Amino acid sequence: MAKNDYYTIVAKILVYLYRKYKGLTSDNEKIIPMSSDYPVEEKQLMETIGMMQEQKFIKGTIVREWGGEVVMVDYDSLKITPQGIDYLRENSTIRKVCETLKEAAQIWSLFM
């Protein structure tokens, strides 16, 4: 899958937030659009995060305009939910993506 594919971005965000929940992240790890970890424009990243919130995979400060479009995300406020952890563990597409992510290796062993 491409680095900017929906499932790849979702997997990276969920892995990061789960690692953050477990206290396995460093201060320099952040969700930043157009970075090597999240190679998508900010609008696409915010839209993806909005979809993840709608599916109850994450929670945090996400501001939407009247029509529902995401206009602002406080990336530091994002947290994984129990539904997000279950999705990370049980979804076969996400599992395949995670098997290729070096940052997922540390937490993947926790699920076994």
Side-chain angles (χ1 to χ4, degrees):
M1 268 183 216
K3 290 183 177 201
N4 64 351
D5 179 75
Y6 170 80
Y7 289 106
T8 303
I9 297 300
V10 168
K12 285 185 169 224
I13 291 169
L14 290 177
V15 165
Y16 165 74
L17 293 177
Y18 188 70
R19 290 181 66 241
K20 185 175 164 184
Y21 166 75
K22 298 293 269 182
L24 302 173
T25 57
S26 64
D27 289 340
N28 64 346
E29 289 181 77
K30 303 270 185 210
I31 297 173
I32 301 171
M34 295 308 296
S35 64
S36 60
D37 287 330
Y38 305 96
V40 294
E41 297 286 338
E42 185 167 27
K43 180 176 168 110
Q44 181 183 352
L45 186 59
M46 289 192 310
E47 186 176 346
T48 301
I49 287 171
M51 289 186 273
M52 293 173 70
Q53 181 193 41
E54 289 170 2
Q55 293 175 295
K56 302 192 182 336
F57 297 156
I58 60 172
K59 61 183 179 178
T61 304
I62 300 170
V63 178
R64 296 174 185 268
E65 66 181 14
W66 180 255
E69 184 174 336
V70 176
V71 293
M72 196 274 302
V73 173
D74 177 3
Y75 298 108
D76 291 333
S77 75
L78 298 179
K79 297 183 184 323
I80 194 167
T81 65
Q83 294 94 324
I85 294 169
D86 289 344
Y87 185 73
L88 186 60
R89 290 182 69 173
E90 298 169 5
N91 183 282
S92 62
T93 303
I94 294 297
R95 186 178 195 98
K96 286 177 189 171
V97 172
C98 285
E99 289 171 356
T100 66
L101 298 175
K102 64 177 172 52
E103 60 268 25
Q106 187 178 25
I107 66 152
W108 209 246
S109 63
L110 301 174
F111 292 150
M112 301 303 172

